[in-house]
Amino acid sequence: MSEAAEEGFRPADLVEMEAETAVDAVVRHAARLRSSDLFLLSNEKSVNIAVRRLGTVQQLGVVSREKGKHMISYIKAQAGMDISELRRPMDGRWLLDLGHKKLDFRINCVATLHGIDMTLRMWDHDLGLRSIDQLGLGPADLSRLIGWLSRPSGLLLVTGPTGTGKTTTLYACLQYLNNGERKINTLEDPVEYALEGIRQSHVNPRLGLDFPELLRNVLRQAPDVIMIGEIRDEETALTAVRAANSGHLVLATLHAAVAANAVQSMLALGAQPYFLSACLLGIVAQRLVRTLCPKCRVFYDLSEAPQTFEEIRPLLQPGEGQAIYGPSGCHECYEVGYAGRTGLFELLTMNLEIRRLIAQARPPEEIQAAAVRNGMIEFRRGALLKVAQGVTSTEEILRDVPAEYLGLED
């Protein structure tokens, strides 16, 4: 690719560019923004180009329908996809070397009313993966997670809605475990990142190779650690619990809003309460919030309201909780006021009381209350802590965490 768009990006310039040059400009700009996704969305008379940056979709520009088709075809060709197929969903992968950085795109195309919509999931090789101490966990929660990973067997669940960083957390855990002392196998849909030293497999429903079938076969490979990309059916849930109870360390993601709800989700998928309570090591529930740009964040003094962070005062370090900060906007953060993202976590640790509640299939509200008594920092206090530390803003917390989990609804 050329260096045409390296110095700057102006949406109006896309109109005059050839399709290949326009792709070049858009990809380079998306990489500079550290976007997670790039979208080409077909409309009746045009194609919209947008990115997802820090969890928020931002429009980059609009091109004619004809040029948009050429851009989509060019990307398909680079990814080795069939450019003549316009009806069936398609997946592809494009490895792009820009010289100063390497980009990895996972591409999906879907036919819509007005044409093909293309989504490119972006990963910058130079940014790499996060380690467990870069996820945003507090010291106590980080110690809990390391303790769980040090156990020879059991089940560790990572939960949250789509797009909240569950895969990032699992990969951080895998990197921590990947010291050559244990055989690690993963089951993914698809394989997100290649990790040296880890045996990675991806499901292929077209061949009848779904999570249950793949998990049964991976268990015959004598793994010490198994990572399951997502528990989404009864057979996978039952096999994961059985594997965790029979001497394997099993890491898996699951869709649940808060930590205690993960227990209810597993029971709904047919897991037996007694066996689940026996093997469960802990549950990580998470959300992602944007972090304030350190160059332009705005200071608001709290000397007139010292009680603001009274509830979490024991969790604060000296000097924290004296102010709150808000977004502003500058050249460094592209005028949005935020410069990155970090995790907001609940870590549910097991004790005798919680194991008994799970074995009795008690409601999640009881399990959640017991977890808080056992030292869990729930989303509400965790959000307050991030605000008191100046990591994020109250506006961002209200945007990303539902009000019922912040104690703002009756």
Side-chain angles (χ1 to χ4, degrees):
M1 280 192 162
S2 72
E3 299 293 325
E6 188 61 28
E7 294 302 320
F9 175 84
R10 294 184 301 176
D13 292 341
L14 293 175
V15 177
E16 304 298 329
M17 293 178 181
E18 297 293 329
E20 181 177 340
T21 306
V23 171
D24 181 345
V26 167
V27 165
R28 289 178 182 274
H29 186 62
R32 281 198 299 276
L33 292 175
R34 296 188 177 184
S35 306
S36 59
D37 303 273
L38 172 62
F39 305 104
L40 284 81
L41 309 173
S42 297
N43 301 311
E44 185 176 5
K45 297 181 180 178
S46 63
V47 171
N48 282 9
I49 301 171
V51 294
R52 179 179 283 114
R53 177 174 180 263
L54 305 181
T56 302
V57 176
Q58 301 175 12
Q59 300 298 321
L60 291 189
V62 179
V63 298
S64 68
R65 182 175 170 83
E66 192 63 28
K67 179 175 290 183
K69 285 183 178 179
H70 287 312
M71 292 174 68
I72 290 171
S73 294
Y74 172 74
I75 295 171
K76 278 186 174 182
Q78 297 303 306
M81 301 165 71
D82 184 356
I83 64 173
S84 65
E85 178 57 71
L86 302 177
R87 295 178 298 176
R88 294 181 181 275
M90 297 178 63
D91 292 298
R93 188 178 184 188
W94 182 18
L95 300 174
L96 178 60
D97 189 344
L98 295 179
H100 63 290
K101 66 172 59 186
K102 295 179 180 179
L103 300 177
D104 188 343
F105 297 96
R106 286 194 294 104
I107 303 169
N108 177 265
C109 293
V110 172
T112 66
L113 178 63
H114 298 299
I116 298 294
D117 277 6
M118 175 178 278
T119 296
L120 297 87
R121 297 291 307 273
M122 297 178 60
W123 181 48
D124 188 337
H125 283 251
D126 296 332
L127 297 178
L129 296 168
R130 295 194 179 194
S131 61
I132 55 174
D133 59 354
Q134 295 174 324
L135 296 174
L137 291 160
D141 282 344
L142 179 59
S143 178
R144 289 189 184 97
L145 179 58
I146 290 174
W148 297 340
L149 295 175
S150 300
R151 299 284 293 275
S153 65
L155 176 63
L156 171 58
L157 295 174
V158 180
T159 76
T162 299
T164 52
K166 298 188 297 296
T167 300
T168 298
T169 297
L170 279 185
Y171 271 88
C173 292
L174 291 177
Q175 289 184 100
Y176 179 82
L177 292 166
N178 189 23
N179 59 7
E181 296 180 0
R182 292 197 261 187
K183 185 172 185 287
I184 304 173
N185 282 77
T186 73
L187 297 70
E188 305 177 58
D189 182 21
V191 172
E192 299 272 0
Y193 312 116
L195 297 176
E196 187 174 350
I198 293 178
R199 321 314 304 166
Q200 296 173 267
S201 304
H202 62 87
V203 301
N204 192 336
R206 293 179 182 177
L207 300 179
L209 191 62
D210 52 14
F211 275 114
E213 177 68 20
L214 189 56
L215 179 54
R216 284 195 299 270
N217 284 278
V218 163
L219 283 168
R220 300 189 186 108
Q221 293 287 313
D224 298 298
V225 180
I226 304 170
M227 188 274 269
I228 304 172
E230 184 182 344
I231 295 177
R232 59 175 70 152
D233 59 79
E234 182 173 332
E235 187 174 352
T236 305
L238 293 175
T239 308
V241 170
R242 192 177 305 120
N245 272 307
S246 61
H248 301 86
L249 179 60
V250 181
L251 317 178
T253 73
L254 187 71
H255 285 291
V258 294
N261 285 5
V263 174
Q264 189 178 44
S265 295
M266 288 294 290
L267 297 179
L269 288 171
Q272 294 298 313
Y274 173 78
F275 291 114
L276 178 62
S277 70
C279 73
L280 196 57
L281 294 175
I283 302 169
V284 179
Q286 64 183 76
R287 303 287 171 130
L288 281 179
V289 294
R290 293 182 293 177
T291 56
L292 288 163
C293 174
K295 300 286 187 182
C296 66
R297 63 179 186 171
V298 181
F299 173 92
Y300 299 99
D301 183 34
L302 287 179
S303 58
E304 299 298 322
Q307 74 285 356
T308 302
F309 297 115
E310 194 60 35
E311 184 181 3
I312 58 167
R313 189 67 59 188
L315 302 173
L316 296 176
Q317 299 298 315
E320 295 178 343
Q322 306 301 314
I324 60 174
Y325 295 85
S328 177
C330 66
H331 175 73
E332 292 288 333
C333 62
Y334 295 91
E335 307 300 333
V336 296
Y338 297 92
R341 289 202 290 177
T342 191
L344 182 63
F345 297 94
E346 287 184 346
L347 269 70
L348 191 155
T349 303
M350 305 301 293
N351 65 4
L352 289 176
E353 179 188 11
I354 294 174
R355 290 192 190 280
R356 185 173 64 252
L357 292 172
I358 295 173
Q360 295 172 352
R362 301 302 299 167
E365 294 79 12
E366 291 186 30
I367 297 172
Q368 185 85 352
V372 172
R373 289 196 299 271
N374 192 37
M376 183 180 79
I377 301 173
E378 73 279 27
F379 280 137
R380 179 174 56 83
R381 287 189 296 156
L384 272 175
L385 190 58
K386 295 287 187 187
V387 173
Q389 292 169 337
V391 173
T392 192
S393 65
T394 53
E395 299 98 319
E396 179 65 9
I397 293 295
L398 293 171
R399 187 182 77 93
D400 279 332
V401 183
E404 61 265 31
Y405 304 131
L406 297 175
L408 300 178
E409 289 190 352
D410 295 331

